[in-house]
Amino acid sequence: MQNSHHDVVIVGAGPVGLATARMLGQLGHDVVVVERWPEAYPLPRAVHFDDEIGRVFQSMDLADEVTAITEPVPDFYEWRNAAGEALLRIDWSGTGPNGWPTANFFSQPQLEQVLARAVESMPTVQLVRGADVIDIEEHQDRVVVSAGDTRVAKPGQVVSPTQVARTFTARYVIGCDGANSFVRSRMGVAMEDQGFFFDWLIVDTIPTDDKQWLPMNWQLCDPVRPTTIVSGGPGRRRWEFMRLPGEDPADLGTSETAWKLLGGWGRTEENTRLERHAMYTFAARWAESWVKGRLAIAGDAAHQMPPFAGQGMCSGLRDAANLTWKLDRVLRGVAEPALLDTYTSERSLHLQHAIAMSVELGKVICVLDPEQAAQRDARMIAGGADPAKVLPVAARPVLGNGVVLADCALSGTLAPQFAVEVDRSPQLLDIATGNGAVLLLASDQPAGQLLSASVQQTLAELDIIATSVAANGNSDLRDFTGEWGRWFDANSVAAVLIRPDHYIFGTTPGVAGAPELVAGYTARMRNGVATVPAPGAA
């Protein structure tokens, strides 16, 4: 029996588990990823990420590798009724505020290959496949993970082991092991369920003709059968067909039915290769707690949502970005373990926004009553297919209480990543500053001249980079596009403290308030205060 000790054991080698390992490995931690399947799953699942997640891949030093396997959207995402009339049109073209294309499509096996190669190239990270976790024992100062060797019964099916073949000891365990998470079951946390369930047949294809798909991604809102038609990544297409009342899921999930439904779209074995077909039950739920003792969960282990907003994997990677920078500080002893409690409080609220948005979109799409569909169509057409007019209004995505300032409008929201110029070289902000926390000052003077020696010492102790940005003058970074100046002016701020996960800790209206901003962040990181007041607040 093998036994080894690590900083962190990650259970599950999907995109979230591999990304979590990559982020922790970049920070120098000893990590092992334990995956039950002997080989990587070869078929498509997730297909979309947004510009924020592109920025996360960039932070993992994988921008070029990920870009090479993705297909950015050149146009819009459109919903149409049975008559072909536009009900909704969302512009997905161009570059988003995070410096990446607004919407990107990919094939998950290719993405996992990029992530696995990156992880396996790291000296402090180990990927162990074919090891099924069968027990987790939590002790005061460590966690012992027991795994058995997985035996493959036939392709796509494994026999769960009952005998322990190896153990892994770690300071923390992170479960990225899917909706049926073993780690979550060991934590004993309940799930909050929204009761939103619909069965859909997912059909992934590889077209063999040269058909042009315009628009690239769209939704047929036809009560006869709501259908989604989107990219599956370069060279691939995906169809999603809603199961109708009375249809047997077993019959719907056959390849014969998949071909029959594809035939209605002109896709046959002469022009299409069927890569995968599978029945999915869309659900909306999340765990009540994502950290308990030395155990944590992320991705589908912590939450599931309908795919209508394309935020499932995106939310899991946001989990990884939030959890890893905090766990790093706990592992290094510069923050108390109580800091990890903010992972649940911050991400759960933000995640509930994504779920609410997905559910509301689903309620619009999954209409099977012809009269209700006609009323929906009339309302959306009258609104000019404008998302601001025809979609349900949802709360702004923001982190819950945690490492954020109270009473600060931008706290807990995502900071943009506009380009800057360094030594006449254009760069995205994170490339210019690094991936740690950043104190960004709107000033034409260098940050070193604006902050006292004591404040600069505190910044160094907390791994915060201070830098200034302006269109002209002697600022550290040049705002050659003017976007940063417009952003500061629009929000009436002159200083912003951005956390390592690119979310805003807080802002101040003047550069002179920056020391107070740093003091608030220091208090949160060192003292474990749930929230701290904004500078100048009573």
Side-chain angles (χ1 to χ4, degrees), residues 18-28 56 59-60 317 320-321 324:
L18 292 171
T20 302
R22 174 70 173 178
M23 293 178 196
L24 288 171
Q26 286 177 301
L27 294 166
V56 173
S59 74
M60 290 188 269
L317 291 173
T324 51

Side-chain angles (χ1 to χ4, degrees), residues 6 25 29 54 233 255 288 352 383 434 473:
H6 306 272
H29 298 296
S255 60
E288 293 181 353
Q352 288 174 46

Side-chain angles (χ1 to χ4, degrees), residues 296-320:
I297 49 177
D300 286 351
H303 47 75
Q304 298 103 55
M305 71 185 73
F308 303 116
Q311 290 299 305
M313 188 194 76
C314 293
S315 294
L317 291 173
R318 292 187 188 101
D319 298 343

Side-chain angles (χ1 to χ4, degrees), residues 7 34 63 308 355 380 492:
D7 290 328
V34 181
F308 303 116
I355 287 182
M380 298 182 78
S492 300

Side-chain angles (χ1 to χ4, degrees), residues 369-527:
D369 181 87
E371 184 175 340
Q372 292 180 7
Q375 295 173 354
R376 173 202 62 197
D377 296 355
R379 175 182 64 80
M380 298 182 78
I381 292 171
D386 183 351
K389 296 178 180 179
V390 304
L391 285 183
V393 177
R396 184 182 188 185
V398 62
L399 300 178
N401 287 341
V403 188
V404 293
L405 281 178
D407 304 316
C408 180
L410 291 178
S411 292
T413 63
L414 186 65
Q417 189 192 201
F418 303 132
V420 295
E421 194 174 80
V422 182
D423 296 330
R424 299 184 180 181
S425 173
Q427 300 176 2
L428 290 172
L429 177 70
D430 300 347
I431 296 174
T433 62
N435 292 318
V438 176
L439 176 63
L440 189 62
L441 308 175
S443 174
D444 58 5
Q445 300 178 56
Q449 296 180 12
L450 299 168
L451 304 170
S452 69
S454 63
V455 170
Q456 293 186 54
Q457 176 63 30
T458 301
L459 292 172
E461 292 173 355
L462 293 175
D463 300 322
I464 302 173
I465 297 296
T467 190
S468 61
V469 60
N472 299 294
N474 297 315
S475 59
D476 300 307
L477 308 174
R478 192 170 82 85
D479 181 20
F480 71 99
T481 67
E483 289 181 292
W484 278 112
R486 288 189 289 273
W487 184 83
F488 278 112
D489 290 344
N491 292 288
S492 300
V493 300
V496 54
L497 204 164
I498 305 170
R499 308 177 343 169
D501 60 357
H502 314 311
Y503 280 78
I504 294 173
F505 169 74
T507 63
T508 65
V511 171
E516 238 183 312
L517 194 61
V518 173
Y521 187 78
T522 303
R524 182 63 195 93
M525 296 302 295
R526 291 178 175 170
N527 302 329

Side-chain angles (χ1 to χ4, degrees), residues 78-85 87 200 218-229 240-245 264-265 362 364-374 376-377 380:
E78 187 171 88
W79 295 10
R80 299 173 184 170
N81 64 7
E85 299 168 295
L87 306 180
W200 285 65
W218 65 288
Q219 177 72 49
L220 175 62
C221 299
D222 184 353
V224 172
R225 189 185 298 276
T227 304
T228 303
I229 310 97
E240 300 176 359
F241 302 100
M242 183 176 169
R243 183 176 72 86
L244 304 178
W265 297 86
V364 176
I365 291 169
C366 299
V367 174
L368 299 179
D369 181 87
E371 184 175 340
Q372 292 180 7
R376 173 202 62 197
D377 296 355
M380 298 182 78

